[in-house]
Structures are given as C-alpha cells and as structure tokens.
Amino acid sequence: MPWCPKCKAEYREGFTECSTCHVPLVDTLPEEKEVLEREKFVLPDGMEKPIAVYTAQNRLEAETICDLLREHNIAVFDRPAAFRQIQAYAGADARFGVEIMVDASQTAQARALIDEMNHDLAEQPVDEEALARLAEEQAMETPPQPMEDNASFKLLPVVAGVIVVALVLLYFVAN
C-alpha cells in the first residue's frame, strides 16, 4: 500500500500523489529516526553543542538573560523547559520555566554572567517609591491618546428616546 511521507496517510493501490499534501506517495514510510534527523533544529551561528545553563522562571527573565549573554558575544537561544505539547496546552512558561541554551565551550562564562546578574539583583532592594516615581514619569511621557469615536454612545440618546416613547404608548394603551 502506498503512503504519504508527509502526513503518513495510507492510500489504496493506484494512487501516486497525496490529495492533501500534493507530494508523491512512497511504498514504505521512513523510520522515525530518519525523520527526526532530517527535521533537526538548526543551531545559531557559533553553537555546536548546546547546553542548558539556566532555567528562567518566565519569558521576561529569559529574554533579559539572553540579551545579557548576547552583549558578551555568547551565542544563545531559549526553549521551553517543558515538552512543547504541554506548553501548547498549558502555557508552560509559567509552570516549567524557560531554558537558556549556550554552546558547551561557553557555559562557564555564561553561568558566571548569570550568577553576577542575579547577585546584583539580590543586593539591590526594590525601592517602592522609586518605582512609583518611574511609573509616573513614564505616564507623563506618554502622549495623550485621542478619544475613540464610539458609535454606540452616539446611538444611546436615540435608543433612550425610543424606549421612552414606547413606555408612553404602553401607558396610554393600558389605560
């Protein structure tokens, strides 16, 4: 029986092309190992053997660390710490974290930079007043947004008038 190598659908004899994928059918499907080798993840430039050096708690922390490592010329990428299927269903970043991946030759340097960043953050207490001032400054810098023209508010007096007229008519009909 012929098979589609892309969607793995089985066809009756006589078919030569998959009706869904439009690819030629094959007599046997390749083994999963062969498929995995062809669909292998392409590593960033300068990375041969990726190693997880840190698991960030969320996407923001992961992006901050990746930016720090890139500033020090370390090839880096991140990936969900959970399986992709779990992430698709549950939003795995919050539950499982985000792994920071660097080349095996740069793990020591990357870990040192991450530890230094975490140490600096731990030493600096969060000043609530400074954060509030910063938020106020940013709010003042934001240009005022024009009022949106909402058609439903224009119709509100018309709808209210129709309701009043209907109630008046109902009153006269009832008496």
Side-chain angles (χ1 to χ4, degrees):
M1 295 291 233
W3 295 84
C4 173
K6 192 170 183 180
C7 69
K8 297 179 179 39
E10 184 179 12
Y11 283 85
R12 293 189 312 256
E13 291 297 331
F15 286 89
T16 59
E17 182 179 279
C18 177
S19 60
T20 307
C21 306
H22 304 292
V23 296
L25 300 178
V26 295
D27 290 333
T28 59
L29 287 174
E31 290 186 30
E32 289 296 319
K33 185 177 180 182
E34 294 174 26
V35 172
L36 291 175
E37 287 296 320
R38 278 187 268 136
E39 296 175 356
K40 200 178 246 185
F41 177 75
V42 177
L43 296 173
D45 291 338
M47 189 178 295
E48 294 178 13
K49 184 178 178 189
I51 300 286
V53 291
Y54 186 77
T55 302
Q57 295 299 316
N58 53 47
R59 174 71 45 202
L60 178 62
E61 182 184 11
E63 289 175 5
T64 303
I65 292 172
C66 287
D67 289 343
L68 170 74
L69 297 176
R70 286 185 189 108
E71 287 174 8
H72 289 85
N73 297 320
I74 297 176
V76 62
F77 71 93
D78 61 57
R79 69 176 185 193
F83 298 107
R84 293 219 181 264
Q85 292 86 358
I86 294 173
Q87 182 189 25
Y89 292 115
D93 286 0
R95 190 175 303 155
F96 300 103
V98 181
E99 286 183 332
I100 309 297
M101 310 292 290
V102 300
D103 190 62
S105 64
Q106 296 177 316
T107 55
Q109 182 184 5
R111 285 187 177 136
L113 288 168
I114 294 168
D115 289 344
E116 181 182 333
M117 182 189 82
N118 285 335
H119 183 265
D120 289 346
L121 289 173
E123 282 183 354
Q124 299 172 354
V126 177
D127 183 12
E128 297 294 329
E129 290 178 17
L131 286 175
R133 265 193 317 277
L134 180 62
E136 286 177 14
E137 289 172 6
Q138 288 177 345
M140 296 303 282
E141 291 174 3
T142 305
Q145 300 295 321
M147 293 290 289
E148 290 186 21
D149 189 18
N150 195 338
S152 63
F153 286 121
K154 289 180 180 177
L155 291 176
L156 187 61
V158 174
V159 171
V162 169
I163 291 173
V164 168
V165 169
L167 289 174
V168 169
L169 288 174
L170 188 62
Y171 174 76
F172 285 122
V173 171
N175 289 334

